[in-house]
Amino acid sequence: MTSYDKGTRRVITAGWLLAITLLLTLTRTGMIPVPTPAANATVSHIPAIIGGILEGPIVGLVIGLGFGFASFMSATIPLFKDPLVAVLPRLFIGVTAALSYAALQRASKRTLAVMVAIVLLFLLAFSYEVSKTIAWLGPIIAIISVAGAAFIYWWMRREDVRIVGLAVAAGVGSLTNTVLVLSVAVLRGYLSSEAAWGIGLTHGVPEVIVAAVVTVAVVAALRQIGSRRGSRL
Amino acid sequence: MASIASLRHVSIGQYIAMGSVVHRLDPRGKLICFGLLIIATVAATTYTSNVLLLAAVLGLVLLARLPVGYLLSTVKPAVPVILILALMQLLFYGGSADAALLTLSWGPIHIVVGRDAVRMVVTSLLRFLDLLFLTSLLTNTTTHGELTRGLESVLSPLNALHLPGHELAMIGAIALRFVPILGEQMESILMARESRGVGTGGSSRWRVVRNAQQVAALIVPLFVDAYRRSEEMMLAMQARCYRGGRGRTHLLESAWRLSDALALGLTVLLVASVLALQHLPFH
């Protein structure tokens, strides 16, 4: 494949994934109803993650830009009518997903287990810090992170490393979206930090799970990896 | 079923043909003015600058002969959410106690409504209106074709820096062109599910896992189909010797007129005065 062809492939893949993003954002079919005040968790950021994983960080960045722009254009609440909240954080979704996928591609299962342990330690330390300021939130974070780590460890033992890498990359991309959007929203004064924590937990967690499931299903089908080898969906 | 049938007609803001001065402006100039006004809106944090901006943007909407009621009707379903968010902002923003306008104490609960919080809520609502009108102004007065051509020439300086200006515009054009096709695809997936008795709506929002499964079952085939089509498209473009943006010309060239220069000049003046108002001693 010549460099021209590679460029063409990137442009076309980015175009199609951006089309999916626009469709999901503008028709609101990419909304999962959840019982919270903001009412919907989104899957519209998944094309940016998939673009980053399939074609690298630049494609991920471009799709993220398009996603931010679409959500800015179609926003019906003041929070997302601010380009600093709607566009800027979304640039990084595909980039972080692509980088973590590239980093994890060659990792062994032992390395992954050590990384899970380190992340768990960080989360526990963090939940202890949180419990000093917001007492009820600390234990919740601690329980969620221990349960999550146990599940990931159990699941990692029985799956292909590349599948694990995909799921982790998708999770990282999704978290990038949640964390950065909410941080900018707090910095710009749209939300109080407690409200942001609530939204982050109730939206961020389901979004991470859905992003991981969808990304693994799509990329594994396209790249023909893991137990789904040969399947056509 | 009515909601399914509408998927293929989706677009970012419908083009409303009114033939006004704003409609006839050069898309490049319009995009630059749009960008400048967005920057001004984001930077404006005082009452005076926001009111000035809103007046200017409203003037533009009237000049473009766009129906104001129609533009506002798109946010009608979101009004309760907007009000709840504004109220929460008002009550929990905090701020310094000496600037408090109102203090409510009820047992252990102390709620301070500060001057800063009021300003934050009022300006963010004004900014919301500004941006709502601005985004409508761009998409309701410019066709998709004009928009992508304008985008390509606005991004063309990037080519000189070896950044992918043409490619970015191309991505945008592909995306806008193929949204209806993917919409049709999504429609047939939804109909296939509906005809097999897998309902799409009506599920309670407490059943998060089920709802997530439904959305995933919808978008995974969509991705796989889009990828297959993009492979076909790549082959077609290679067969036609597509080699990126170098040396390409266009069938339609837009001309820069006096009215475009005037519009750009006025926008720069407006943005400069908004930014200047930010630094005045009175708000």
Side-chain angles (χ1 to χ4, degrees):
Chain A
M1 196 185 281
T2 65
S3 62
Y4 277 134
D5 294 346
K6 219 171 177 178
T8 312
R9 169 186 289 275
R10 283 193 177 158
V11 167
I12 296 173
T13 313
W16 279 95
L17 288 172
L18 188 57
I20 297 183
T21 311
L22 294 182
L23 190 69
L24 292 177
T25 318
L26 303 176
T27 59
R28 316 212 151 257
T29 36
M31 295 289 183
I32 306 167
V34 289
T36 53
N40 287 307
T42 181
V43 295
S44 319
H45 60 299
I46 295 179
I49 295 173
I50 292 181
I53 290 173
L54 287 177
E55 301 291 342
I58 298 171
V59 170
L61 184 125
V62 171
I63 302 171
L65 176 70
F67 169 43
F69 202 64
S71 90
F72 166 68
M73 296 295 256
S74 64
T76 49
I77 55 173
L79 172 59
F80 286 114
K81 267 293 178 204
D82 185 337
L84 288 181
V85 179
V87 181
L88 188 68
R90 266 71 186 268
L91 294 178
F92 301 101
I93 300 172
V95 179
T96 54
L99 294 181
S100 37
Y101 181 65
L104 288 175
Q105 232 174 353
R106 292 178 206 291
S108 70
K109 287 201 174 178
R110 189 174 297 165
T111 334
L112 287 175
V114 171
M115 281 172 65
V116 170
I118 293 173
V119 171
L120 180 64
L121 277 180
F122 263 111
L123 280 174
L124 287 179
F126 170 71
S127 65
Y128 177 68
E129 284 297 316
V130 169
S131 68
K132 281 183 192 165
T133 46
I134 309 170
W136 56 271
L137 197 60
I140 294 181
I141 296 179
I143 292 168
I144 289 177
S145 31
V146 169
F151 173 74
I152 289 172
Y153 183 71
W154 168 78
W155 171 72
M156 242 166 45
R157 288 178 58 112
R158 49 185 289 271
E159 269 292 0
D160 191 329
V161 177
R162 281 177 294 178
I163 299 281
V164 176
L166 278 179
V168 173
V172 169
S174 189
L175 274 181
T176 309
N177 181 32
T178 316
V179 171
L180 288 183
V181 166
L182 290 174
S183 314
V184 178
V186 171
L187 286 180
R188 293 279 290 168
Y190 290 105
L191 293 171
S192 64
S193 55
E194 280 198 41
W197 273 111
I199 295 175
L201 284 180
T202 51
H203 283 197
V205 175
E207 279 177 19
V208 166
I209 294 169
V210 175
V213 169
V214 171
T215 307
V216 168
V218 171
V219 181
L222 295 176
R223 287 275 171 92
Q224 310 266 303
I225 51 175
S227 55
R228 292 156 187 82
R229 187 188 302 272
S231 73
R232 285 250 165 245
L233 267 182
Chain B
M1 277 293 176
S3 65
I4 295 179
S6 65
L7 278 180
R8 73 175 76 179
H9 301 300
V10 62
S11 67
I12 311 181
Q14 201 64 46
Y15 176 71
I16 305 176
M18 296 301 259
S20 73
V21 190
V22 183
H23 286 72
R24 283 195 297 274
L25 285 179
D26 187 292
R28 290 169 289 181
K30 242 190 268 189
L31 274 169
I32 297 172
C33 294
F34 177 71
L36 286 174
L37 285 171
I38 294 278
I39 293 172
T41 321
V42 175
T45 52
T46 60
Y47 289 123
T48 33
S49 51
N50 267 296
V51 169
L52 174 69
L53 261 175
L54 187 61
V57 172
L58 208 56
L60 278 174
V61 169
L62 294 178
L63 192 66
R65 284 186 270 158
L66 295 175
V68 178
Y70 168 73
L71 302 188
L72 287 176
S73 69
T74 53
V75 288
K76 209 186 275 172
V79 167
V81 179
I82 295 174
L83 289 181
I84 291 171
L85 283 178
L87 195 70
M88 281 175 66
Q89 225 178 346
L90 197 64
L91 295 182
F92 302 115
Y93 179 69
S96 54
D98 52 318
L101 291 177
L102 183 66
T103 311
L104 301 173
S105 295
W106 188 55
I109 303 168
H110 291 279
I111 292 173
V112 181
V113 178
R115 216 176 279 278
D116 289 340
V118 173
R119 186 161 57 99
M120 184 70 90
V121 170
V122 173
T123 52
S124 77
L125 285 178
L126 287 176
R127 185 189 301 148
F128 173 60
L129 282 178
D130 278 345
L131 292 167
L132 183 74
F133 286 136
L134 267 178
T135 47
S136 311
L137 256 177
L138 182 69
T139 54
N140 292 349
T141 65
T142 323
T143 59
H144 281 172
E146 280 180 342
L147 212 56
T148 45
R149 255 186 301 130
L151 199 63
E152 182 163 358
S153 40
V154 169
L155 293 175
S156 62
L158 290 180
N159 290 333
L161 299 170
H162 295 289
L163 288 170
H166 162 79
E167 277 73 15
L168 283 177
M170 188 73 184
I171 291 170
I174 293 177
L176 287 177
R177 174 66 190 80
F178 288 113
V179 165
I181 292 181
L182 282 174
E184 228 165 279
Q185 182 68 24
M186 194 186 244
E187 206 177 292
S188 47
I189 298 172
L190 283 174
M191 281 184 174
R193 281 171 44 176
E194 195 110 346
S195 66
R196 285 160 182 78
V198 187
T200 46
S203 150
S204 153
R205 49 179 66 248
W206 288 97
R207 304 174 71 179
V208 178
V209 177
R210 202 183 115 87
N211 293 336
Q213 275 173 345
Q214 277 201 348
V215 174
L218 176 67
I219 67 173
V220 172
L222 200 66
F223 274 110
V224 176
D225 180 66
Y227 201 76
R228 187 176 53 76
R229 283 172 194 261
S230 74
E231 293 281 322
E232 281 168 14
M233 186 173 163
M234 198 180 102
L235 217 66
M237 281 171 76
Q238 279 170 350
R240 288 159 182 77
C241 303
Y242 174 74
R243 281 285 182 268
R246 259 183 298 158
R248 269 166 69 94
T249 53
H250 290 276
L251 181 62
L252 300 166
E253 294 284 350
S254 34
W256 189 263
R257 286 186 304 263
L258 185 65
S259 55
D260 300 311
L262 201 65
L264 189 59
L266 284 175
T267 310
V268 171
L269 200 67
L270 177 70
V271 172
S273 49
V274 166
L275 293 182
L277 274 177
Q278 284 288 103
H279 298 288
L280 285 185
F282 59 89
H283 293 327

